[in-house]
Amino acid sequence: MSDTILLAHGSGGKMAHRLIEEVILSDLSNRVLARMDDSAVLDLSGRTAFTTDSYVVSPIFFPGGDIGKLAVCGTTNDLAMSGADPLYLSLSFIIEEGFPISDLKRILSSIRNTAREAGVQIVTGDTKVVNRGNVDKLYINTAGIGKIPSGANISGANIAPGDKVILSGSIGDHGIAIMSKREGLHFSTELESDCAPLSGLVADMIATGARIHALRDPTRGGLATTLNELSDQSGVKIMIEEEKIPVRDEVLGACEMLGFDPLYVANEGKLVAFVAPEDAESVIAAMRKNKYGAQATIIGQVEQTENPCVVMKTVLGASRLIDMLVGDLLPRIC
Amino acid sequence: MKYASEFRDNRLARGLIAKIERSSRTPVKFMEFCGSHTVAIFRYGIRQVLPETVTTLSGPGCPICVTANVDLDKAIALARIPNVIMTSFGDVLRVPGSYTSLQAVRAEGADVRVIYSAMDALKIAADNPAKQVVLLGIGFETTTPTIAAAILQAKQESLTNFSVLSWHKLSPPAMKALLDSGDVALDGLICPGHVSIITGSQAWEFIARDYGIPCVVAGFEPLDILQCVDMLVTQVEKKEARVEIAYSRGVQREGNTVAQKLVDMVFEPCPAQWRGMGTIPASGLKLRPEYSMFDAEEIFDIDPGPTREPAGCICGEVLRGVSTPLDCPLFGKVCHPENPVGACMVSSEGSCFTYYLYGGKNE
């Protein structure tokens, strides 16, 4: 096989078959995928969550992850935010001709490892190759299916006044790690993306039996944008405290340098949970036992209101409205 | 020292606020010249924690905001010339000129590229010998030295396809023009931190001396600004007017003399047009005749056509501190960050953008 992806690899012919069998299946094979039918046949029952996302991050390899890891985490995390246990994933590549097969193998092995950790099987997929310049190296689309455990009723519309707002850890790590590697910006930092599968953490939280009303992973647009979406969806006022929100020194420093506010910088391995106040401590205790929730902390609470909004108490004790991200911070971070 | 978290300490801040409350008796109006100060003041809610006697007011220190439409139109006309690659810092692309923006002409096919450093433009010029690369030189004293360095390097490398469209402006002449206009009566000036790193605090001495206005150079963290306000209040109450530094980790009286020499070598003062303030003598910088081969205005025959101002927009008054964004009939309705009518809604340091983003619209 050649060292790079050629247009013929996407033709559906012999070369395409060899690529699928020798490169892709060798890394990902499972019972459903191995049948090689036109579609995956699955047994599903009960309430099911279904979601899709496309990944166009640049650069495709970044500190703490790569586009493959992101493509598994992003979609399984979206399932987990509905309380679902991720079961199945589709995986589609759009590859620029000339893409090194060794890089593809690296990405596939990262997909395999992340899927294993998230407990999800890749059951269907597709590969297309396009002319040089028609995509930037490689884009991935994944769709995922998950099963919602009985009793879980988690939605951005279920937030109630009195709920505690729990954040699983420090914000802004992914966005700043990516920006540090961008052409033209390039600054040196030890910082790694927080990109991680959160389904295990969510399962631990649900297992406490706590009344978890809403979960969301603050990806593009950062924590500020996510909280605004939720306050609109549930029609509530969300009050948070600046001092309670963990931000790494590296992120704080980079944000000062670049003129960003960490509240608007992307995360790929964090979640916010809205939990009934009596249950907050038990949820936090469960989260802190999981490596992806070790820094979990209450950052605020929910109040009743006529005008849904997000308000933050600043370090000086003043309060200010937190709006959604306006304009673009920097494109293509996921 | 980490230089950020220490300057956001809640306990120290409360101490400073209490001190200001105790000492401030005379009602005062302080202007922060710099847009970054306006952002910090809103971001931390500083206006809310200051006593009622202290009012802060945003000044003209936002380079994008003060760029006149005629200059924007020139850049847009230049970008439309075939074979020109226009390189610019990000925010500028979205600023509407009289009729369109750089962003819009890029969508039409003009080659407009966002850069993060002046040196990026030199690299683009070296990589594209058949094209003319124009660098939009924008900024106050803080950014000018980097553009001067790029021009010197271009000369050293004998680049023949690189030039600068200079919109560079000087802060002290603008402050002087503002005070001379008599539009606003100020009791103190929060002097820009980054600008003063280059110019030194000496640049503001004429304001204390000739206008009797207390001046304090401030950094951009909440404690920096509170300390600055405290020092200004103390001067007012003691009826003093001098220049002090509340940002000693960055600013000295003389400033960065190496950077000053670099700028002086390449640029000379010229009259410049400011949005809302008209033409101010010796407030801009143009390339010296020895460097005219890098001056885009000399190289290209630019016809920007007639200029016009958007109806109803009061950016000019906002920049002079005469009005606040809330006084503008367009604010938050027609004009918002997704559809900016005036420049102050585009720049991340613009007063209108800051008011909009940080909830000033509900003040």
Side-chain angles (χ1 to χ4, degrees):
Chain A
M1 191 176 291
S2 68
D3 294 339
T4 57
I5 295 287
L6 307 175
L7 277 175
H9 281 123
S11 66
K14 256 195 180 153
M15 276 181 75
H17 277 87
R18 274 191 65 191
L19 178 75
I20 290 167
E21 278 164 26
E22 292 175 21
V23 179
I24 299 178
L25 281 184
S26 73
D27 248 315
L28 301 176
S29 197
N30 58 58
R31 223 159 28 84
V32 188
L33 196 60
R35 285 162 55 146
M36 296 292 282
D37 282 331
D38 276 0
S39 58
V41 177
L42 312 169
D43 273 322
L44 294 170
S45 60
R47 293 174 69 218
T48 304
F50 176 44
T51 187
T52 183
D53 209 340
S54 298
Y55 300 86
V56 298
V57 65
S58 167
I60 56 173
F61 296 101
F62 49 84
D66 57 61
I67 191 169
K69 184 179 182 186
L70 198 61
V72 176
C73 292
T75 298
T76 56
N77 288 352
D78 281 350
L79 292 172
M81 295 309 129
S82 302
D85 176 21
L87 297 175
Y88 305 113
L89 219 55
S90 73
L91 175 68
S92 292
F93 291 105
I94 299 176
I95 311 176
E96 184 183 26
E97 68 173 320
F99 188 74
I101 292 203
S102 57
D103 280 357
L104 183 62
K105 284 183 171 165
R106 251 176 95 189
I107 289 165
L108 282 162
S109 111
S110 152
I111 288 173
R112 181 194 58 208
N113 294 339
T114 315
R116 195 171 289 162
E117 190 185 348
V120 70
Q121 285 192 332
I122 288 149
V123 291
T124 184
D126 181 49
T127 304
K128 294 279 190 298
V129 180
V130 297
N131 291 310
R132 206 173 249 282
N134 283 11
V135 299
D136 184 6
K137 299 185 181 71
L138 167 94
Y139 297 159
I140 301 178
N141 173 275
T142 53
I145 289 175
K147 187 174 163 48
I148 297 177
S150 61
N153 182 18
I154 295 170
S155 159
N158 290 354
I159 298 169
D163 279 1
K164 294 290 180 195
V165 186
I166 299 172
L167 177 65
S168 66
S170 63
I171 57 167
D173 301 4
H174 177 73
I176 296 298
I178 297 276
M179 282 175 218
S180 74
K181 296 297 164 206
R182 288 295 267 270
E183 196 183 347
L185 274 179
H186 231 92
F187 50 94
S188 85
T189 171
E190 302 282 302
L191 190 72
E192 291 199 338
S193 162
D194 58 352
C195 181
L198 297 175
S199 45
L201 176 64
V202 171
D204 292 350
M205 293 165 71
I206 291 176
T208 62
R211 280 161 295 166
I212 301 170
H213 293 148
L215 291 170
R216 187 80 40 109
D217 53 340
T219 53
R220 267 182 307 180
L223 182 64
T225 302
T226 292
L227 293 178
N228 269 283
E229 286 165 8
L230 292 169
S231 79
D232 277 347
Q233 231 180 318
S234 286
V236 292
K237 177 177 181 180
I238 301 175
M239 297 282 302
I240 55 170
E241 288 181 50
E242 188 168 23
E243 275 190 303
K244 301 274 173 68
I245 300 169
V247 186
R248 287 179 198 275
D249 282 332
E250 302 95 301
V251 172
L252 207 59
C255 280
E256 284 307 309
M257 198 167 75
L258 302 168
F260 296 149
D261 185 336
L263 285 174
Y264 295 94
V265 181
N267 312 278
E268 287 293 347
K270 296 290 154 39
L271 62 81
V272 268
F274 289 76
V275 179
E278 314 83 80
D279 296 341
E281 282 311 318
S282 67
V283 170
I284 288 205
M287 290 174 80
R288 287 186 180 161
K289 284 185 195 145
N290 186 300
K291 66 174 169 177
Y292 298 130
Q295 270 190 291
T297 185
I298 295 176
I299 59 163
Q301 69 282 324
V302 176
E303 293 176 10
Q304 197 147 15
T305 184
E306 296 287 300
N307 304 305
C309 61
V310 181
V311 175
M312 184 168 82
K313 198 172 133 200
T314 73
V315 287
L316 302 186
S319 57
R320 69 164 161 97
L321 268 182
I322 303 289
D323 205 345
M324 281 205 188
L325 176 66
V326 279
D328 48 352
L329 208 54
L330 267 183
R332 286 177 55 199
I333 42 167
C334 59
Chain B
M1 220 176 183
K2 288 173 295 197
Y3 291 107
S5 43
E6 295 93 332
F7 294 92
R8 295 175 189 180
D9 184 273
N10 176 283
R11 201 176 44 82
L12 291 175
R14 280 203 305 264
L16 270 169
I17 294 163
K19 183 161 179 276
I20 295 167
E21 273 170 356
R22 278 197 307 275
S23 56
S24 174
R25 282 180 292 274
T26 323
V28 285
K29 216 183 255 180
F30 298 152
M31 175 179 274
E32 75 272 4
F33 176 86
C34 175
S36 299
H37 277 144
T38 305
V39 172
I41 285 168
F42 274 87
R43 183 168 160 192
Y44 297 103
I46 289 175
R47 284 187 181 182
Q48 287 172 48
V49 298
L50 289 175
E52 275 180 15
T53 42
V54 180
T55 307
T56 64
L57 158 100
S58 313
C62 159
I64 289 177
C65 305
V66 297
T67 300
N69 271 4
V70 57
D71 286 328
L72 286 160
D73 294 346
K74 268 187 206 167
I76 289 162
L78 241 171
R80 281 177 157 155
I81 297 174
N83 266 332
V84 164
I85 301 175
M86 178 64 79
T87 61
S88 158
F89 301 116
D91 273 358
V92 183
L93 265 64
R94 299 176 53 231
V95 187
S98 296
Y99 303 94
T100 181
S101 65
L102 280 172
Q103 177 177 263
V105 297
R106 179 169 73 172
E108 288 164 13
D111 194 344
V112 182
R113 302 187 192 179
V114 173
I115 51 164
Y116 299 94
S117 138
M119 295 302 169
D120 295 345
L122 288 186
K123 187 170 180 298
I124 293 172
D127 293 345
N128 295 276
K131 304 259 185 172
Q132 281 292 332
V133 175
V134 180
L135 169 61
L136 260 188
I138 183 168
F140 292 121
E141 290 85 344
T142 329
T143 35
T144 319
T146 65
I147 310 283
I151 292 170
L152 287 172
Q153 189 168 329
K155 186 162 194 184
Q156 204 175 9
E157 291 173 8
S158 307
L159 282 180
T160 54
N161 64 331
F162 170 80
S163 60
V164 172
L165 184 63
S166 176
W167 290 349
H168 290 287
K169 291 189 173 57
L170 300 168
S171 324
M175 210 47 232
K176 182 176 185 314
L178 195 61
L179 292 169
D180 287 342
S181 74
D183 280 345
V184 283
L186 297 180
D187 304 294
L189 182 65
I190 299 173
C191 302
H194 296 150
V195 164
S196 303
I197 289 174
I198 305 293
T199 62
S201 62
Q202 59 180 356
W204 310 103
E205 285 169 359
F206 76 96
I207 292 181
R209 187 185 61 232
D210 302 345
Y211 298 85
I213 295 174
C215 294
V216 177
V217 180
F220 298 91
E221 295 299 328
L223 288 187
D224 291 319
I225 295 170
L226 289 173
Q227 192 195 355
C228 166
V229 170
D230 177 46
M231 290 162 89
L232 285 173
V233 165
T234 305
Q235 283 197 45
V236 169
E237 295 299 337
K238 286 187 176 166
K239 302 204 163 28
E240 293 175 352
R242 53 202 170 83
V243 176
E244 293 181 283
I245 300 169
Y247 191 29
S248 55
R249 65 187 184 282
V251 176
Q252 293 170 318
R253 184 179 178 275
E254 289 70 30
N256 182 339
T257 51
V258 176
Q260 289 166 13
K261 277 190 194 124
L262 206 63
V263 171
D264 191 47
M265 204 187 298
V266 178
F267 291 102
E268 62 188 7
C270 67
Q273 200 174 333
W274 295 58
R275 184 186 298 273
M277 296 166 70
T279 301
I280 303 174
S283 68
L285 289 172
K286 62 188 281 244
L287 277 75
R288 288 189 181 278
E290 307 91 282
Y291 295 92
S292 62
M293 61 285 217
F294 300 112
D295 188 343
E297 301 235 29
E298 298 286 331
I299 296 171
F300 298 96
D301 188 17
I302 314 167
D303 177 17
T307 58
R308 65 169 185 189
E309 298 295 329
C313 172
I314 63 163
C315 274
E317 288 164 41
V318 170
L319 288 165
R320 290 203 303 277
V322 177
S323 300
T324 78
L326 303 180
D327 299 322
C328 179
L330 308 182
F331 179 79
K333 300 184 183 80
V334 186
C335 180
H336 45 83
E338 306 293 309
N339 176 43
V341 176
C344 300
M345 189 58 97
V346 177
S347 170
S348 55
E349 298 193 339
S351 285
C352 298
F353 179 84
T354 308
Y355 266 71
Y356 190 93
L357 181 67
Y358 291 124
K361 58 180 181 275
N362 290 1
E363 259 200 354

